[in-house]
C-alpha cells in the first residue's frame, strides 16, 4: 500500500493552498493519501501525470516500455531533447520530481502485459488509460473491472479526442449499479485495417494535450467525489456514463454524449463474464490476437 | 400510402470517418417511407444508403468495409449517436428518424 | 521581425513529422516562420507556451513580471521547486529550451505596461492573454486592436474557465468585418468587489491547464487557417465569434456560446473609438483606475 | 386577458455566480404575463425577480449588488446567454422568455 501521511505540514498548505481553499477539495484536505496509476507516458500520459503530480497525489505509478524519441517531443511535454533515448518512465520522473518532490513515484518501465497487469494495478485507487492500441485498452479495462477500480480512458488522433470515465462506480461483475466498461461500449474490436496510430495518422499536440489534462481532472473529481455546491457536502453519486467527444475543427469543439449502461452480456463486467483473474494471470487471454493485426501498408 | 414528404436531418462523421465522406457534416433529405419495403425510415435504412452511397456523399474510391460489415451493420469501433445520445438507449438500427434529428457516426480512437 | 528559416532541415521533419502529415498543417510546412506572444506565464501561460514550443512556433515571446512561488507549482507546470524565487520568464525558458532548443525565445521579464505594450506586441503574429487582472486584460485587448493582431483570451477560477478568440479577423478600427474585441464583450469593467483572483478564490490545476492548452490550439488554428477538409485547401473564413465556457462540475462540462459581433460604439474597435496608440503610449489611459480596486477583505 | 398559464424554463449560474444562488441550476416557472404591468414575460422581469428574490433561490445574506446594479440591470462582467447565444443577438432584456428556454448567467473570470 502507498505511503500514508497525515496531517499536513505547513509546506503542504503553502504548496496546495490554491486548491485547498476550494469547497470541492478542501474537505478532503489534499490528495496525499491517494494513488493513481498512469498507463502510457506519451501524449496523454505526460500532461495527465504533470497535473496529478502538481496537485499532490501521494503516489503516482508510471507504466511505459518505450524510450523517448525526437518525434514525441512536439506533444509529450514531460520529456526533453536531452533525454531522447532514455526510457519514458525515467524521463518523466526527472521532470515530475522537479515539479513536486513530495510525490512518491513507482516506475514500471515495461509494456503492460496480461500476466502482470493485476499485480501492477492492485495498489492504486484508480487508473488512467493513456495507451495507444486497442489490445492494451481492452487489457487495461478488463483489469480495472476485475479489481474494482474506476478507469479514466482517453484517446486522440489527428484533430480529434475522446474521453470516458469507465467502471464508475466500480461495482463487482454482474452488479448493474456499476458503470459500463470498455467492452460494454466496444464489445468487438475494430477491424485492424481501420485502426490508425498517431504515428501513421498524425496528431496535433494540443489536441492530445487537452485530453490528457482532462484525464487528470476526472481523476481528481473521482478522488474527491463531493458535490459542487458547498451546501451539499455529502459524497455525490457517480455522474451518469458519458463520452466527451473533441474535434478541434468542428463547431462546437466539444460534445457530451449520454452513454449506455452496463451491457447484460458483457464479457468482462456482467454475470456472464468470461474474463476472469485466473485467465488473465495465466496468459490464456491473447489480447493481440483478439484485436488482430495488419501490415502498415494495408492501413487506412 | 400517398404520403410522400421527406425527412430532413443532419449527419456528422467524426473520429476520422470524415476521411470516408465528402464532408464532415451533411444535411440529408430522405423519403419518410423506404421505397422498397414501405417501412418508416429507420437508422438501418440510412446506414445502408450511406454504404451503397446512392446519395454520393462517400468519397470516390473509399472502401465500404471501413464503414459497414458484410451484413450492412456498422463495423465494430463505430458509435452511432442520436441527438447527443448513444443509439443503444434509443433502439439502435430500429430508431425511426425524426425531422431535425442530429445523427453522429464516430469512430473510436486509439492513439495517445 | 523574427528569424525566418526555410526550407526545413531533416531534423525538423523528424521532430514535427506527426503534425506535418496532418492535412490541416502539412500545407503550411511548420510554424518556423510564426511568432506568438504569451502574456502571463502562470497557470494558463505555462501549458500554452509548452504546446506552442512543442509545435515549433519559430519565435515565442514571454511576458511576466513575477517570480516563481511554491503556491504556483500545483498548476504552473513549467516551473519547478528548484526554481522558486527565479523570474517566471527565466524559469519557463529553462523548461521550454529543454523541450525544444530550436525555438527563439524573447524574454520580457516585467509586468505589461500601457506605455510599452505597443512596442512589445508589434513583432508578433498573434497574442495570448494569459493574465490575471481585468486592467491587464483591457490593456492587452486594446493593444491588439490598435496593432491589428488576433487575440486568444482565456481565464479561469476555481472549477470554471472561459476562452474567446477576439479581434479575429483583426480588421482596422471601424471595419465591421472584424471580430469583436474584449471591450465589445465587456464594455464596462466589473465592480472591483466582484473580482476574485486565483489567489483568493482558489483554482484547480487541470481546469486552468485545459484552458491554457486550448489557447495553444486556437493559436495553431489561427496560424494555419486552413479548412479542416483536405478537399478544401483554400484559407477558411474566420470562425464566427464564440465563447467557450468550461465548468468542471457541470454537465456538460463545455458549452459553446455564439457571441455578439463588433459593437457599433466600442471604445476600442469602432469608428467612434477613443482608444488611440498615442493615448496608450503616452500613458494617459489609466487601466488600473478604469477598473478600480478594492481591499481584499471586501472581496466576494 | 384570461391567459394564466406559466412558462417553465431553466436558469443556470456559472463563473462563480453559483455562489450567490441556492444551486447552480434551477427549473423555474413564472406567469406568462407580469402581474403588475400585464406585459409578456421578458428577461428584465426575470432579472428583477432574481434580484428581489421572490423565488427565494438566492442564498441568504448574499448581496444583490453582486448580481444587479441600482437600476436592476445585470452588473458589468455578467453575460446573459439565451439557448447558447449571447443575449445581445436576441434582444437583451426585451427578449420574451419561451417555454423550455435555457438561460445562463455567467460571470466573466479574470484569473490565470
Ligand atoms: Zn462491461
Ligand atoms: Zn470592440
Amino acid at each position: 500500500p502507498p505511503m500514508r501521511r497525515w496531517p499536513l505540514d505547513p509546506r503542504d498548505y503553502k504548496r496546495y493552498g490554491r486548491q485547498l481553499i476550494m469547497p470541492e477539495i478542501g474537505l478532503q484536505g489534499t490528495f496525499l493519501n491517494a494513488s493513481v496509476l498512469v498507463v502510457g507516458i506519451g501524449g496523454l500520459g505526460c500532461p495527465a501525470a504533470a497535473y496529478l503530480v502538481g496537485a499532490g497525489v501521494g503516489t503516482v505509478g508510471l507504466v511505459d516500455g518505450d524510450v523517448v524519441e525526437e518525434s514525441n517531443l512536439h506533444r509529450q511535454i514531460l520529456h526533453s531533447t536531452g533525454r531522447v533515448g532514455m526510457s519514458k518512465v525515467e524521463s518523466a520522473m526527472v521532470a515530475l520530481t522537479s515539479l513536486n518532490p513530495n510525490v512518491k513515484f513507482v516506475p514500471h518501465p515495461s509494456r503492460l502485459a496480461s500476466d502482470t497487469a493485476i499485480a501492477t494495478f492492485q495498489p492504486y485507487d484508480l487508473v488512467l488509460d493513456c495507451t495507444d492500441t486497442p489490445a492494451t485498452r481492452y487489457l487495461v479495462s478488463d483489469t480495472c473491472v476485475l479489481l474494482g477500480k474506476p478507469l479514466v480512458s482517453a484517446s486522440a488522433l489527428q484533430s480529434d479526442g475522446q474521453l470516458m470515465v469507465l467502471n464508475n462506480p466500480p461495482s463487482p461483475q454482474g452488479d448493474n449499479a456499476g458503470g459500463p466498461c470498455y467492452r460494454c461500449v466496444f464489445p468487438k474490436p475494430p477491424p485492424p485495417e481501420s485502426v490508425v496510430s498517431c504515428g501513421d495518422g498524425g496528431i496535433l499536440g494540443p489536441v492530445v494535450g487537452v485530453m490528457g489534462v482532462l484525464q487528470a481532472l476526472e481523476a481528481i473529481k473521482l478522488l474527491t467525489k463531493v458535490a459542487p455546491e458547498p451546501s451539499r457536502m455529502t459524497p455525490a453519486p457517480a455522474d451518469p456514463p458519458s463520452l466527451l467527444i473533441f474535434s478541434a475543427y468542428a463547431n462546437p469543439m466539444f460534445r457530451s454524449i449520454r452513454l449506455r449502461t452496463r451491457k447484460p452480456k458483457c464479457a468482462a463486467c456482467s454475470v456472464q463474464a468470461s474474463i476472469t483473474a485466473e485467465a488473465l494471470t495465466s496468459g490464456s487471454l491473447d489480447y493481440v490476437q483478439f484485436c488482430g493485426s495488419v501490415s502498415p501498408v494495408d492501413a487506412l | 400510402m400517398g404520403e410522400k414528404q421527406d425527412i430532413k436531418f443532419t449527419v456528422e462523421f467524426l473520429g476520422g470517418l470524415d476521411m470516408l465522406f465528402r464532408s464532415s457534416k451533411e444535411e440529408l433529405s430522405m423519403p419518410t417511407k423506404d421505397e422498397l419495403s414501405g417501412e418508416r425510415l429507420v437508422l438501418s435504412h440510412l446506414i445502408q444508403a450511406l454504404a451503397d452511397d446512392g446519395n454520393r456523399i462517400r468519397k470516390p474510391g473509399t472502401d465500404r468495409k471501413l464503414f459497414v460489415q458484410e451484413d450492412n451493420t456498422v463495423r465494430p469501433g463505430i458509435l452511432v449517436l442520436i441527438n447527443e445520445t448513444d443509439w443503444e438507449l434509443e433502439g439502435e438500427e430500429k430508431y425511426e428518424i425524426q425531422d431535425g434529428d442530429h445523427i453522429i457516426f464516430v469512430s473510436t480512437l486509439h492513439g495517445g
Side-chain angles (χ1 to χ4, degrees), chain B residues 25-103:
Chain B
K25 201 170 187 173
E26 292 282 342
E27 307 284 335
L28 292 187
S29 181
M30 285 178 73
T32 312
K33 302 216 170 188
D34 185 66
E35 284 174 23
L36 289 173
S37 64
E39 289 166 33
R40 191 117 168 48
L41 180 68
V42 294
L43 260 179
S44 60
H45 299 135
L46 170 64
I47 291 163
Q48 177 135 22
L50 292 171
D52 296 345
D53 202 23
N55 287 298
R56 304 204 174 276
I57 69 167
R58 268 232 320 281
K59 273 195 201 129
T62 52
D63 187 353
R64 60 180 275 145
K65 276 187 292 187
L66 291 173
F67 183 62
V68 289
Q69 306 183 92
E70 302 265 306
D71 62 356
N72 277 333
T73 56
V74 285
R75 70 156 171 82
I78 292 180
L79 289 179
V80 188
L81 311 169
I82 302 164
N83 302 325
E84 269 71 62
T85 300
D86 189 346
W87 75 335
E88 277 234 344
L89 302 168
E90 302 285 346
E92 299 188 85
E93 54 262 295
K94 295 196 183 67
Y95 172 82
E96 290 189 2
I97 299 176
Q98 309 293 316
D99 209 65
D101 271 355
H102 179 210
I103 295 162

Side-chain angles (χ1 to χ4, degrees), chain A residues 13-217:
Chain A
Y13 284 108
K14 199 168 191 183
R15 181 179 280 269
Y16 308 119
R18 295 297 176 272
Q19 67 193 32
L20 284 172
I21 55 178
M22 289 190 55
E24 294 88 350
I25 308 297
L27 243 211
Q28 317 291 319
T30 65
F31 307 110
L32 291 176
N33 296 326
S35 58
V36 175
L37 182 67
V38 183
V39 187
I41 314 299
L44 294 166
C46 281
Y51 283 94
L52 290 174
V53 167
V57 168
T59 305
V60 173
L62 305 166
V63 183
D64 205 308
D66 289 343
V67 298
V68 178
E69 296 177 39
E70 192 166 357
S71 65
N72 301 150
L73 297 177
H74 80 106
R75 66 190 190 281
Q76 302 186 14
I77 56 162
L78 285 180
H79 307 312
S80 76
T81 309
R83 295 197 292 273
V84 168
M86 188 186 279
S87 92
K88 286 191 180 177
V89 167
E90 204 183 334
S91 166
M93 281 173 62
V94 173
L96 294 169
T97 305
S98 123
L99 181 63
N100 191 348
N102 309 311
V103 171
K104 182 185 168 203
F105 297 102
V106 184
H108 303 275
S110 52
R111 195 166 184 79
L112 187 71
S114 57
D115 55 342
T116 53
I118 286 185
T120 305
F121 285 27
Q122 187 77 72
Y124 297 93
D125 296 331
L126 59 93
V127 176
L128 268 53
D129 186 345
C130 305
T131 67
D132 58 1
T133 61
T136 316
R137 290 183 178 274
Y138 282 100
L139 171 58
V140 168
S141 174
D142 290 349
T143 310
C144 284
V145 169
L146 290 169
L147 293 172
K149 316 260 183 212
L151 170 60
V152 182
S153 179
S155 58
L157 183 69
Q158 298 186 335
S159 54
D160 290 346
Q162 294 169 1
L163 173 76
M164 295 182 287
V165 179
L166 295 168
N167 200 35
N168 176 43
S171 311
Q173 285 169 308
D175 183 342
N176 285 330
C181 78
Y182 193 75
R183 282 186 196 266
C184 292
V185 185
F186 302 111
K188 281 198 255 178
E193 64 273 17
S194 75
V195 175
V196 186
S197 72
C198 291
D200 293 332
I203 177 74
L204 264 187
V207 169
V208 65
V210 164
M211 303 317 293
V213 180
L214 287 172
Q215 283 185 284
L217 178 65

